[in-house]
Amino acid sequence: MSPTPNKKTGVPKAATTPTAKGKAKTPEAQSETSKQYILVGEQVKGASARALSLPTPTTSTSKPIDTPKVKAVTAKPKTFDPFAIHTIEDSEDEASTYKTIISQFGIDSDNNDEDKDSDTKKKKSSKKSNNVQTTSADLNPDFTFEFSGGDLESSAANANSYWDFKAAKAAVRGASNLADKNGGVVKSDFSIEDIIERKRKEMKAFKKNGVKNLSAPSQKEKQLDETNESEEEMEDMGDVQMDKNGNFIFAKSESGSDNDENETGGVENDTDEENDESFDNEDNDIESVLANWSLDVVDENSEDEFSGEEDQVTVAPKKNQAEQNSDDDSDSDDETTKIQDIVNEKRKAEFFAPIPEPEKADEFEDTETFTNFRLSRPVLKAIADMGYNKPTPIQTRSIPLALQAHDLCVSAQTGSGKTLAFLIPMIERLLYRPKATPTIRILILVPTRELGVQCHSVATKLSKYTDITWSLCVGGLSTKTQELELRTRPDGVIATPGRLIDHIRNSQGFSLDGIEILVIDEADRILEDGFADELDEIIKSTPRARQSMLFSATMTDKIEDLTKLSLTRPIRLFVNKSTSLTSRLTQEFVRVRAHKEESKPAMLLALCSRTYQEEVVIFFRSKAAAHYMKVMFGLCGLKAAELHGNLTQLQRLESLESFRDRESSFLLCTDLASRGLDIPGIKTVINYDMPKSYSTYVHRCGRTARANQSGVAVSFVSESDRAVLKMAMKMSTDEVQHRVIPSKVVTRFESKVDEMKEAAKEVLIEEQREKEIRAVEMQIKKVENIQEFAEEIKNRPRKTWFQSAQDKEASKQLGKDKHRSDMGISSAEVIRAPIKRGKFDGLSRHKKRLKIAREDDKKEIAQMNIAAKLAKKSSKPTRLHTVSEPVKTETKSTAMQKRKGAFSEEKSGVRGKKKSNGGAANASGGQSSSLGGVKTGGIKKKKISNHKFKSLGKHKRKR
Ligand SMILES: Nc1ncnc2c1ncn2[C@@H]1O[C@H](COP(=O)(O)OP(=O)(O)OP(=O)(O)O)[C@@H](O)[C@H]1O
């Protein structure tokens, strides 16, 4: 059986062509296709050109891969929905079939977890082995990958343990001390919960008896009370300020925003500048959209019209397509856009490789199981253990291409399974690595620590039956532990950019020279300004001949951004429109009128106490607001966890754990949690503050309605949020809903909030004191340590930092600026002036050249557009008097020409003649000629003024 080569690529079709639906292959056939698969790898052009040791799964002995025997499940149940939740009732028959297979072939049943662990341990101890078969010796040689994805009970269990915090928690800085304190369990030693609970009880007692049941203040508190006697009327508590009436003021400045959560000191922000601009332009249109909402019928201010207790939910009318198009048309210059599109498409066609033929056809849409990818047995078994039976569309498309070592640029909806789409092929390829010298071959970059923890957890699970090792290098975890781990040269490293650079610079012997596959998850985020310097440094440290894969739900295909990554003819796989949300998501909007902004806490409490009571993620624009609401929720008796950059790493992990384990019903967070986090079962996302960019909105909403589940996204929309609202309505394929919380209810909750204000203030003050005490204790401990280990500290090699303090501040500032613009914080609210950065600051020569080239390209496109416009203009019949009319607009380049003196003047005169004679500016050089021709009247005026300036000194000119 010889593979049929693909006409274009020479790649044998058999390698990527799935078997017919439901058909299982005999072991012989499987082994045959495995042989073909090896051939495929050898023939892949890009792969061989890069001379990787991982391009395709092949052993050093060139033995055919020992692929699993696929046993046909004869009575194949109805077509499988990959995401369907299998209940015992609907799958009883299937379950019995599987159980027979399980007992027959020794696949782990639910009580076999320990065995699995011991299997893994065994494998770890025999890691030095040089052959993939050695690992599979630990496995049942008769393992069968069944179509339904294995033991259903264990899949359900696995679904809940997608996240595993144990490793991360154990690696948290100083975790061992905490474990000692807490009897072996790693737990943070300070929690605000106790303070809130105490205050809540006091409030209750006060309400009941009219007496404030104050607990006796501790000695430390007494001391602090004395020192704080001279407190100012306005208390500054870091993020939250309080006026003398006890009202909290959330600083709109950067102090409250979650600016330092990513590993660079940048912010969790979103670059969608183009969209932002168009939002601004469209601002007026939204009036009509809002007016169309049944606000005339239901007004939260009018009690008579709506005096019931239930929220009213109505459908917000959507403009029809024609109206939408006409709106869009009026916003943009048709001709210019068309030309831009053509130019862009041309550049993209040159930059991206065409999708190889087999993937073009929809044949993979029907891929029944993971076996069709010819994956090795250990990988298939791990997939089955995790409960996955059918690849999602993005997995179907990207796995075969990734296995063939192509560079990929992938965009697919949130929750569509992108993590497995890159992990499966990487693990498969790692199985065939040369093992003589351990090398770090894979690098996965993620923007946030939590995403790193999650990805590490999935990678570890998928590698369960292999000897592949992973290391997690993210901020907040012990650098020492990571350093030791990196010395063992794990096969793959999952890292946040900042921590990775710290290791590149300071961990002895650590380098990225051996990297063969680079994956950037949430790539559009990492390509943003906040990470620019880090990314440059990382890319420089990895070999050019590597495979690179970029993934995101809002992936950019802007070539300007992608060139930074030195990709090799990447394939663009955009499975869904990158800005569209799943149709299983219901979008609701709650209008917040300008004078009702201060009612938002009450509205949120009303919503969470009455309507959305469980598995709710709430996004705030600042850490301070999230924390304050956490106190309010606590005082109301609602169990809420918080997740933002003001918490320690351990607290962050604990929050996630408590939310994941349903100990807390609400997760109050900043955009730190907006990307990538996969917590099964989230039912609702609430945008307490609407983000300013639509792509952030997409990522936030994407925390629910994942993996074929449905969900609701509720957003509070203020006057200033109209742009995103309009975009959301435009992009939504379904109707969006308008929710009105009755004013009676809001008023009731407002008085509750008023009642709690004093208690909340006390909680925050108490917390602040606790923190101060701890800070002093830490300081004392630090001094003691310095004294005790002075000699050792002196002898340590000096750490070098990627950025000087000034640089760090500058890039932080950049990020903050971006965050402010994303969150719509006006410059008037900004306290510090932004630090200016030179255009080419921190860029290598190569990068500088690229940037210049890109700018040149931009200029060229702009000039072409102008030329086209003028050509269009000149083709129109001209009114006689227009010839002598002065021209209002002028481009920079013509102004420059004019400054060049007599020669250029003469030239422009000639051009002017050309124009008036010929009329139409021809394409070749027509651009400047047409410009010169039209603007004769204007030139003279401008020229005089230029001369006037020239005769002045530089400083005078400025004035
Ligand atoms: N083949 C599959 N069958 C069933 N469930 C799957 C499959 N692949 C992934 N999943 C599940 O889908 C969920 C979402 O996966 P994942 O986190 O990879 O999504 P994503 O596309 O990366 O989302 P985001 O864009 O938000 O990062 C996970 O809970 C995962 O367990």
Side-chain angles (χ1 to χ4, degrees):
M1 187 174 154
S2 68
T4 334
N6 178 313
K7 278 177 228 148
K8 274 192 187 168
T9 57
V11 175
K13 262 189 176 172
T16 47
T17 313
T19 52
K21 227 179 181 180
K23 247 189 211 170
K25 286 201 166 195
T26 61
E28 292 74 23
Q30 279 286 327
S31 139
E32 190 63 42
T33 41
S34 304
K35 279 184 213 159
Q36 292 159 14
Y37 186 69
I38 297 163
L39 276 174
V40 173
E42 281 160 2
Q43 289 178 26
V44 174
K45 232 176 153 188
S48 58
R50 291 179 215 184
L52 301 178
S53 54
L54 285 185
T56 53
T58 179
T59 55
S60 49
T61 52
S62 294
K63 262 190 180 177
I65 306 157
D66 185 14
T67 49
K69 292 174 199 168
V70 179
K71 188 178 168 89
V73 178
T74 36
K76 176 89 185 67
K78 17 173 182 149
T79 23
F80 257 92
D81 179 352
F83 296 112
I85 306 170
H86 293 272
T87 57
I88 300 299
E89 294 88 275
D90 70 76
S91 59
E92 227 164 6
D93 292 346
E94 293 167 39
S96 61
T97 321
Y98 307 139
K99 275 182 184 152
T100 328
I101 301 168
I102 290 159
S103 57
Q104 198 178 336
F105 295 102
I107 302 171
D108 304 312
S109 61
D110 40 359
N111 56 0
N112 268 0
D113 272 347
E114 275 177 35
D115 297 352
K116 282 181 217 159
D117 286 346
S118 67
D119 271 0
T120 330
K121 275 179 207 156
K122 269 191 224 165
K123 267 173 271 139
K124 272 189 186 156
S125 60
S126 64
K127 197 209 158 188
K128 299 290 161 222
S129 83
N130 239 0
N131 196 329
V132 75
Q133 262 84 6
T134 334
T135 319
S136 26
D138 286 342
L139 306 168
N140 183 336
D142 294 323
F143 164 69
T144 304
F145 181 86
E146 359 108 16
F147 292 115
S148 57
D151 180 358
L152 295 176
E153 286 155 50
S154 78
S155 359
N158 269 314
N160 285 333
S161 58
Y162 193 61
W163 277 72
D164 185 358
F165 297 96
K166 272 185 223 146
K169 277 174 86 179
V172 171
R173 274 190 220 122
S176 52
N177 293 343
L178 294 170
D180 291 345
K181 272 194 204 170
N182 297 305
V185 184
V186 184
K187 259 166 83 183
S188 62
D189 57 349
F190 169 67
S191 156
I192 193 178
E193 306 291 347
D194 304 337
I195 309 176
I196 297 175
E197 197 43 44
R198 187 155 32 84
K199 277 285 171 295
R200 201 168 114 78
K201 279 184 187 153
E202 280 177 16
M203 274 175 64
K204 268 190 179 171
F206 183 67
K207 257 191 172 177
K208 215 173 164 188
N209 317 321
V211 188
K212 205 168 182 186
N213 176 23
L214 291 171
S215 50
S218 67
Q219 194 57 34
K220 279 177 185 169
E221 281 172 347
K222 268 188 200 162
Q223 281 170 7
L224 273 161
D225 276 345
E226 283 160 21
T227 51
N228 286 340
E229 259 171 14
S230 59
E231 254 174 1
E232 295 289 314
E233 280 187 335
M234 173 79 91
E235 292 179 29
D236 185 353
M237 294 186 300
D239 297 318
V240 189
Q241 292 192 321
M242 215 183 285
D243 65 16
K244 46 188 164 187
N245 302 323
N247 293 323
F248 287 94
I249 308 158
F250 298 120
K252 283 187 173 180
S253 71
E254 66 274 30
S255 63
S257 62
D258 217 345
N259 283 345
D260 47 4
E261 23 227 46
N262 64 46
E263 299 309 304
T264 65
V267 284
E268 294 298 304
N269 54 22
D270 227 295
T271 5
D272 219 348
E273 284 139 342
E274 283 183 3
N275 283 346
D276 282 349
E277 267 168 34
S278 61
F279 289 163
D280 289 345
N281 298 337
E282 286 169 356
D283 247 13
N284 294 334
D285 290 353
I286 201 72
E287 274 308 336
S288 60
V289 178
L290 286 172
N292 282 339
W293 281 18
S294 29
L295 293 177
D296 311 338
V297 188
V298 185
D299 188 331
E300 52 269 62
N301 292 329
S302 132
E303 298 242 342
D304 296 333
E305 282 169 19
F306 187 65
S307 53
E309 288 281 298
E310 290 298 306
D311 289 6
Q312 174 140 336
V313 184
T314 50
V315 172
K318 217 179 169 204
K319 285 187 178 181
N320 64 36
Q321 200 55 48
E323 280 174 316
Q324 197 70 65
N325 290 343
S326 73
D327 271 6
D328 294 346
D329 288 351
S330 61
D331 291 335
S332 59
D333 186 333
D334 229 9
E335 203 65 30
T336 319
T337 324
K338 262 188 209 160
I339 293 171
Q340 246 164 16
D341 285 351
I342 294 167
V343 174
N344 284 341
E345 278 315 309
K346 216 180 138 206
R347 292 182 72 206
K348 280 177 192 169
E350 280 163 17
F351 184 78
F352 292 107
I355 302 176
E357 233 166 62
E359 279 69 47
K360 255 187 187 168
D362 279 344
E363 51 191 294
F364 274 114
E365 295 296 344
D366 284 337
T367 300
E368 277 287 323
T369 75
F370 284 97
T371 47
N372 294 337
F373 300 130
R374 325 282 190 268
L375 299 170
S376 307
R377 189 173 50 197
V379 179
L380 286 175
K381 186 161 160 55
I383 294 172
D385 269 10
M386 290 173 86
Y388 307 129
N389 41 52
K390 180 179 166 178
T392 62
I394 191 59
Q395 290 162 1
T396 304
R397 281 165 176 262
S398 54
I399 290 174
L401 295 172
L403 281 170
Q404 291 174 36
H406 286 290
D407 279 4
L408 296 182
C409 194
V410 180
S411 180
Q413 273 173 356
T414 50
S416 57
K418 293 186 286 295
T419 316
L420 287 193
F422 61 76
L423 281 177
I424 291 175
M426 281 192 319
I427 292 172
E428 176 68 20
R429 291 185 62 205
L430 269 178
L431 286 176
Y432 304 94
R433 70 202 181 279
K435 294 180 189 171
T437 337
T439 312
I440 302 172
R441 295 172 196 276
I442 289 188
L443 173 63
I444 302 175
L445 280 183
V446 289
T448 60
R449 300 166 183 182
E450 282 72 17
L451 200 47
V453 174
Q454 178 181 300
C455 191
H456 180 260
S457 168
V458 184
T460 315
K461 279 184 183 163
L462 266 181
S463 317
K464 190 174 177 183
Y465 299 108
T466 70
D467 55 358
I468 294 165
T469 48
W470 294 94
S471 173
L472 177 64
C473 291
V474 298
L477 308 188
S478 156
T479 326
K480 271 247 145 59
T481 318
Q482 284 170 13
E483 228 178 281
L484 291 176
E485 213 171 77
L486 290 175
R487 266 184 221 162
T488 64
R489 301 263 196 288
D491 299 301
V493 170
I494 295 159
T496 44
R499 179 54 67 91
L500 184 70
I501 287 184
D502 193 6
H503 284 298
I504 296 175
R505 300 222 152 194
N506 300 306
S507 297
Q508 265 189 353
F510 174 74
S511 91
L512 299 177
D513 291 348
I515 294 296
E516 299 182 23
I517 307 178
L518 167 71
V519 170
I520 309 184
D521 197 12
E522 305 299 341
D524 56 330
R525 172 75 188 94
I526 290 190
L527 281 164
E528 278 172 13
D529 282 351
F531 285 110
D533 296 341
E534 280 84 356
L535 191 61
D536 275 353
E537 172 109 354
I538 293 166
I539 297 290
K540 262 189 263 163
S541 312
T542 55
R544 239 199 112 91
R546 54 160 206 273
Q547 179 188 7
S548 310
M549 294 189 271
L550 316 176
F551 284 79
S552 177
T554 49
M555 187 61 212
T556 173
D557 59 356
K558 274 193 214 154
I559 292 155
E560 294 80 24
D561 296 335
L562 298 174
T563 42
K564 289 179 198 169
L565 302 169
S566 51
L567 305 172
T568 314
R569 290 281 280 160
I571 294 174
R572 180 174 43 164
L573 277 183
F574 278 37
V575 168
N576 305 99
K577 235 181 167 184
S578 63
T579 41
S580 68
L581 279 159
T582 166
S583 55
R584 295 178 307 276
L585 178 84
T586 308
Q587 298 178 68
E588 284 186 0
F589 295 94
V590 179
R591 186 176 181 186
V592 182
R593 291 171 185 274
H595 63 283
K596 283 278 183 185
E597 285 278 339
E598 72 284 2
S599 306
K600 270 168 85 177
M603 289 164 83
L604 180 67
L605 285 171
L607 204 61
C608 294
S609 315
R610 304 159 68 248
T611 319
Y612 300 114
Q613 298 168 334
E614 272 175 351
E615 283 125 40
V616 186
V617 180
I618 308 167
F619 285 98
F620 296 85
R621 78 169 175 186
S622 74
K623 298 181 261 195
H627 187 58
Y628 179 62
M629 281 316 290
K630 145 103 190 163
V631 176
M632 284 294 195
F633 270 57
L635 293 173
C636 274
L638 302 173
K639 281 290 272 172
E642 55 184 328
L643 179 62
H644 51 75
N646 269 359
L647 306 176
T648 63
Q649 190 52 43
L650 198 54
Q651 285 172 333
R652 277 158 72 157
L653 292 172
E654 279 173 350
S655 285
L656 273 171
E657 213 168 23
S658 126
F659 183 63
R660 179 201 65 182
D661 299 343
R662 310 280 187 269
E663 282 162 17
S664 306
S665 309
F666 305 92
L667 183 69
L668 314 182
C669 55
T670 57
D671 276 322
L672 174 73
S674 65
R675 278 180 181 256
L677 292 193
D678 183 62
I679 303 170
I682 295 177
K683 289 181 187 154
T684 313
V685 165
I686 299 179
N687 289 308
Y688 179 83
D689 297 304
M690 192 77 156
K692 280 289 169 281
S693 93
Y694 179 68
S695 61
T696 308
Y697 176 78
V698 168
H699 285 283
R700 283 184 180 185
C701 296
R703 295 318 97 210
T704 183
R706 297 171 73 75
N708 233 26
Q709 304 290 310
S710 51
V712 182
V714 188
S715 305
F716 287 173
V717 187
S718 308
E719 297 297 312
S720 57
D721 303 321
R722 297 159 163 222
V724 184
L725 166 66
K726 188 177 179 192
M727 190 71 180
M729 292 179 82
K730 185 174 154 187
M731 300 306 292
S732 164
T733 43
D734 299 296
E735 285 156 338
V736 299
Q737 316 272 352
H738 176 214
R739 175 175 288 275
V740 179
I741 307 168
S743 53
K744 253 187 185 179
V745 177
V746 176
T747 315
R748 207 171 60 228
F749 276 88
E750 267 171 350
S751 52
K752 261 195 174 190
V753 168
D754 283 341
E755 271 173 34
M756 291 187 302
K757 264 183 189 159
E758 190 57 31
K761 177 182 164 184
E762 285 169 13
V763 169
L764 290 174
I765 292 172
E766 206 171 309
E767 185 201 20
Q768 186 66 18
R769 285 177 187 169
E770 278 288 339
K771 278 187 180 168
E772 281 164 12
I773 293 166
R774 263 151 233 276
V776 173
E777 281 172 0
M778 289 253 297
Q779 206 56 38
I780 295 168
K781 187 96 199 124
K782 201 173 163 186
V783 174
E784 278 172 7
N785 279 343
I786 290 173
Q787 279 175 351
E788 198 179 333
F789 303 104
E791 200 52 36
E792 195 195 315
I793 294 169
K794 225 165 71 189
N795 293 335
R796 267 187 210 155
R798 231 184 131 76
K799 263 199 162 197
T800 65
W801 300 103
F802 167 59
Q803 288 172 316
S804 65
Q806 206 183 350
D807 289 346
K808 205 168 178 180
E809 188 51 40
S811 63
K812 206 168 178 178
Q813 193 60 39
L814 260 179
K816 281 176 180 175
D817 291 345
K818 188 73 195 53
H819 176 77
R820 274 195 297 267
S821 79
D822 274 356
M823 298 313 297
I825 300 167
S826 76
S827 53
E829 292 161 326
V830 178
I831 297 161
R832 255 182 293 168
I835 295 170
K836 279 186 185 163
R837 275 170 64 91
K839 209 159 124 189
F840 300 113
D841 277 2
L843 292 182
S844 66
R845 268 195 316 193
H846 175 66
K847 299 281 166 201
K848 250 185 223 171
R849 257 183 273 135
L850 267 180
K851 200 167 180 176
I852 292 167
R854 254 183 267 138
E855 278 174 5
D856 285 349
D857 279 356
K858 264 188 203 163
K859 271 185 210 158
E860 217 173 280
I861 294 173
Q863 283 171 352
M864 281 172 71
N865 289 338
I866 294 165
K869 263 188 195 171
L870 288 166
K872 197 177 151 194
K873 220 174 185 179
S874 60
S875 67
K876 285 179 190 166
T878 3
R879 275 184 291 161
L880 279 174
H881 63 271
T882 50
V883 179
S884 58
E885 249 180 14
V887 183
K888 282 169 206 154
T889 52
E890 204 166 62
T891 62
K892 223 178 179 179
S893 57
T894 45
M896 290 277 281
Q897 281 170 6
K898 277 174 258 154
R899 263 180 242 135
K900 281 183 189 162
F903 178 69
S904 49
E905 201 176 340
E906 194 187 309
K907 253 186 165 179
S908 72
V910 173
R911 281 178 187 147
K913 268 179 205 161
K914 247 191 200 174
K915 168 69 194 154
S916 50
N917 287 342
N922 57 28
S924 57
Q927 163 216 344
S928 46
S929 61
S930 55
L931 286 174
V934 176
K935 290 167 189 168
T936 325
I939 287 171
K940 269 190 181 167
K941 254 191 183 175
K942 192 96 185 183
K943 245 181 92 114
I944 295 161
S945 61
N946 275 336
H947 279 305
K948 215 162 88 184
F949 275 122
K950 263 188 187 170
S951 61
L952 294 172
K954 204 177 174 185
H955 60 286
K956 282 182 185 164
R957 233 184 287 159
K958 263 186 199 165
R959 264 191 268 150

